[in-house]
Amino acid sequence: MTTDNSSNSPLIKVRGLCKAFTGIEALKNISVDIFQGDVAFIVGPSGSGKSTFLRCLNRLEEPTGGSIFFDGEDICDKTCNIDLHRQKMGMVFQQFNLFPHLTVMRNLTIGPMKLQNKTKEEAEAKADALLKRVGLSDRRDAYPNQLSGGQKQRIAICRSLCMNPEVMLFDEPTSALDPEMVGEVLNVMRELANEKMTMVVVTHEMGFAREVANRVFFMADGEILEENAPVAFFDHPQNERLRSFLRSVL
Amino acid sequence: MSDLVNSFYQNFIEKDRYQYLLDGLKNTLIVTFFAVLIGIAIGFILAIIRSTYDNTKKLKILNFFANVYLTVIRGTPVVLQLLITYFVIFASVNISKLLVAIIAFGINSGAYVAEIIRSGINSIDRGQFEAGRSLGFSYAQTMIYFILPQALKNVLPALGNEFVVLLKETSVAGYIALQDLTKGADIIRSQTYSAFMPLVMAAAIYLVMVIAFDYLIKRLERRLRSSDH
């Protein structure tokens, strides 16, 4: 699975990223490069800063130090238009966060129509194609509360994809799902990875990380302690914290 | 029985006294309708100022004035607000009593509507806000497309109740000698010296209006709930 990206410049370049909440240093001086086509998984114990790191990448969480370059522009700079960059960074949440007052179709089309000046026909054609891909064409006129958790998360992934993002951020996308629904969401993510969508995924699904990722990061106490290709990461962990973490979850 | 018929004739038919009730009803409805519009406008603006400050710490100065307004309006009786508006603020201006009542009741209602809408905004899960922002919607767009529609749906019963309260509160408009429904009934009483018939009739008219309004709100609620199966 490992691909050679060294010739490209990174899509996301994180330098010295810090985030402090009152009294807690959630992120300590993190520097990472994410390249086009990377499927980067971040694992680690809860409270280690994984989600905070991911949420800093599109500034849902405001970093307190460092810089994040996306497409070469520092998005932590106060003068940059973060809303434009967010259109190119899809985000999938643990709690789905579909808009309950809008139909599935409207959830998918409101972004492209309001933000990218797509016509209704263009937006719906794109949405229909995505719904077909995730097997939910028959739910296009349903409201989110009529869907199962797995269906909601697949729709949420489609909602982000409708914006044609350059990178997809996944924040524990299967953690709120009943076990029998995890598979359907992972299948969609696996397909995305196969199509070389750039993905950054925070998850507790170790088997899935090993199968799909090309890079795996281990975070603990707000720092990245180890990074490796999945086979080496899971079979020959170097860091002692990672070894004990893997012993406890595998 | 014939007493009742006589009393009815004397209070409403004789000398066309029903006109007092009709004119009064018209003024009550005018004042309520426009005060509701002003109240909604003020309420919306204040609610957005207050929750924007709560979420982002921006609009600090506007938020301060909003708080002063809310405290003063909610902390003083509406009758005094009406009297002060008429006899102090517009004392030296020749202005219709109807307009004064609309302004006073609108400003009063705005404070309550603001708190209702703000509680509705606060009732929306933070994830909704993050979902909107993560797609690239601005703060204002996220409010308009995702937060406010859901917030309004949640507070519709409370808003409906506020407008029922407002409709009835306008009955103190007689304090500035504006002839509303209550005042109209009272004028009849002072002419015929019979209290029962005109006052109970006025009360019945308020009651019918409130019941009709409640019915409309319930229907609207049912329609908006179509996404909550």
Side-chain angles (χ1 to χ4, degrees):
Chain A
M1 279 298 290
T2 314
T3 48
D4 180 18
N5 292 309
S6 54
S7 55
N8 306 336
S9 64
L11 181 63
I12 304 175
K13 189 166 92 177
V14 180
R15 287 295 174 268
L17 182 67
C18 297
K19 172 70 185 180
F21 297 103
T22 39
I24 311 155
E25 262 186 285
L27 298 177
K28 299 170 190 161
N29 198 20
I30 290 186
S31 297
V32 173
D33 288 335
I34 306 285
F35 294 91
Q36 181 96 50
D38 264 351
V39 179
F41 274 60
I42 305 169
V43 301
S46 55
S48 58
K50 317 182 289 288
S51 285
T52 306
F53 171 70
L54 193 75
R55 290 159 55 82
C56 278
L57 291 183
N58 66 354
R59 269 180 59 195
L60 277 189
E61 217 65 78
E62 206 63 57
T64 43
S67 41
I68 300 168
F69 295 90
F70 177 63
D71 280 344
E73 192 177 344
D74 184 0
I75 59 170
C76 293
D77 187 19
K78 296 291 174 228
T79 58
C80 97
N81 184 348
I82 188 65
D83 294 333
L84 280 179
H85 291 287
R86 282 184 179 140
Q87 291 185 30
K88 296 182 254 167
M89 306 172 111
M91 185 153 201
V92 176
F93 299 88
Q94 183 177 349
Q95 297 296 340
F96 329 125
N97 296 340
L98 292 176
F99 304 121
H101 61 304
L102 304 177
T103 63
V104 164
M105 181 49 77
R106 194 76 183 122
N107 264 279
L108 299 191
T109 56
I110 190 165
M113 284 171 67
K114 301 286 182 193
L115 300 174
Q116 298 176 334
N117 296 321
K118 294 269 174 31
T119 65
K120 190 164 186 257
E121 289 69 31
E122 288 171 323
E124 291 196 347
K126 167 104 185 162
D128 273 326
L130 284 166
L131 285 176
K132 192 167 171 213
R133 251 179 63 182
V134 302
L136 289 173
S137 294
D138 55 328
R139 308 316 305 269
R140 75 197 287 277
D141 298 315
Y143 284 95
N145 292 342
Q146 298 167 294
L147 306 176
S148 71
Q151 291 175 331
K152 282 183 196 169
Q153 196 60 299
R154 284 185 279 162
I155 298 292
I157 293 172
C158 290
R159 179 175 66 181
S160 292
L161 290 175
C162 276
M163 301 292 290
N164 283 321
E166 292 173 21
V167 56
M168 288 283 285
L169 311 175
F170 291 86
D171 190 2
E172 304 201 21
T174 57
S175 296
L177 294 176
D178 292 336
E180 73 268 26
M181 293 173 180
V182 171
E184 60 193 64
V185 172
L186 295 187
N187 281 339
V188 173
M189 293 172 65
R190 185 180 292 113
E191 262 189 52
L192 273 181
N194 289 340
E195 290 163 18
K196 297 285 170 248
M197 169 62 79
T198 310
M199 296 160 67
V200 184
V201 186
V202 170
T203 188
H204 294 291
E205 302 279 339
M206 296 301 154
F208 186 63
R210 184 185 174 121
E211 175 202 336
V212 173
N214 71 332
R215 304 166 70 191
V216 188
F217 297 83
F218 175 65
M219 273 188 82
D221 296 332
E223 291 175 290
I224 293 177
L225 297 183
E226 182 156 344
E227 188 223 321
N228 220 326
V231 174
F233 184 93
F234 288 106
D235 292 350
H236 308 289
Q238 305 298 310
N239 185 284
E240 185 47 44
R241 294 282 303 274
L242 173 57
R243 278 188 219 144
S244 72
F245 173 72
L246 289 177
R247 268 199 304 277
S248 66
V249 295
L250 290 180
Chain B
M1 187 65 202
S2 67
D3 279 0
L4 223 53
V5 173
N6 274 341
S7 171
F8 186 90
Y9 178 83
Q10 187 200 10
N11 279 293
F12 302 130
I13 313 295
E14 197 181 85
K15 295 189 181 164
D16 283 346
R17 291 202 174 98
Y18 70 92
Q19 278 294 346
Y20 289 114
L21 290 184
L22 274 190
D23 292 346
L25 176 62
K26 193 183 84 188
N27 283 339
T28 291
L29 287 176
I30 290 173
V31 170
T32 305
F33 179 77
F34 288 103
V36 162
L37 291 189
I38 294 175
I40 289 176
I42 293 178
F44 249 99
I45 293 166
L46 287 194
I48 286 170
I49 290 173
R50 296 249 292 155
S51 47
T52 300
Y53 174 76
D54 289 345
N55 288 333
T56 66
K57 300 291 164 212
K58 287 176 187 160
L59 307 180
K60 195 170 179 176
I61 294 168
L62 282 175
N63 182 63
F64 173 78
F65 285 112
N67 276 329
V68 170
Y69 166 82
L70 290 174
T71 308
V72 170
I73 295 296
R74 298 200 308 151
T76 55
V78 67
V79 177
L80 281 174
Q81 291 165 19
L82 180 69
L83 290 174
I84 289 171
T85 309
Y86 186 61
F87 290 112
V88 180
I89 297 173
F90 291 114
S92 54
V93 190
N94 189 12
I95 185 171
S96 95
K97 288 170 188 158
L98 206 58
L99 195 56
V100 170
I102 288 170
I103 292 169
F105 287 115
I107 287 176
N108 177 269
S109 181
Y112 294 94
V113 172
E115 288 299 89
I116 290 170
I117 294 179
R118 193 171 72 97
S119 77
I121 293 173
N122 288 345
S123 74
I124 304 303
D125 183 70
R126 184 147 182 84
Q128 290 292 306
F129 195 79
E130 294 185 346
R133 296 307 304 270
S134 78
L135 284 170
F137 286 93
S138 67
Y139 180 91
Q141 287 172 319
T142 303
M143 272 287 170
I144 291 165
Y145 295 131
F146 307 122
I147 307 299
L148 286 177
Q150 297 183 61
L152 282 182
K153 195 171 89 175
N154 288 356
V155 300
L156 199 62
L159 271 185
N161 187 56
E162 161 60 20
F163 297 142
V164 165
V165 170
L166 180 62
L167 172 70
K168 293 180 297 173
E169 261 182 359
T170 60
S171 63
V172 300
Y175 271 87
I176 58 168
L178 175 69
Q179 194 193 320
D180 72 325
L181 179 55
T182 303
K183 186 75 182 173
D186 206 41
I187 291 171
I188 297 177
R189 182 189 61 81
S190 69
Q191 292 182 357
T192 62
Y193 300 109
S194 74
F196 177 81
M197 194 54 87
L199 297 185
V200 168
M201 180 61 85
I205 294 172
Y206 280 110
L207 188 60
V208 167
M209 287 194 292
V210 169
I211 290 171
F213 186 75
D214 272 346
Y215 173 76
L216 289 177
I217 288 284
K218 290 253 156 51
R219 273 189 55 166
L220 187 60
E221 270 175 56
R222 264 203 301 279
R223 260 189 50 196
L224 289 176
R225 227 176 311 165
S226 59
S227 59
D228 292 349
H229 295 285

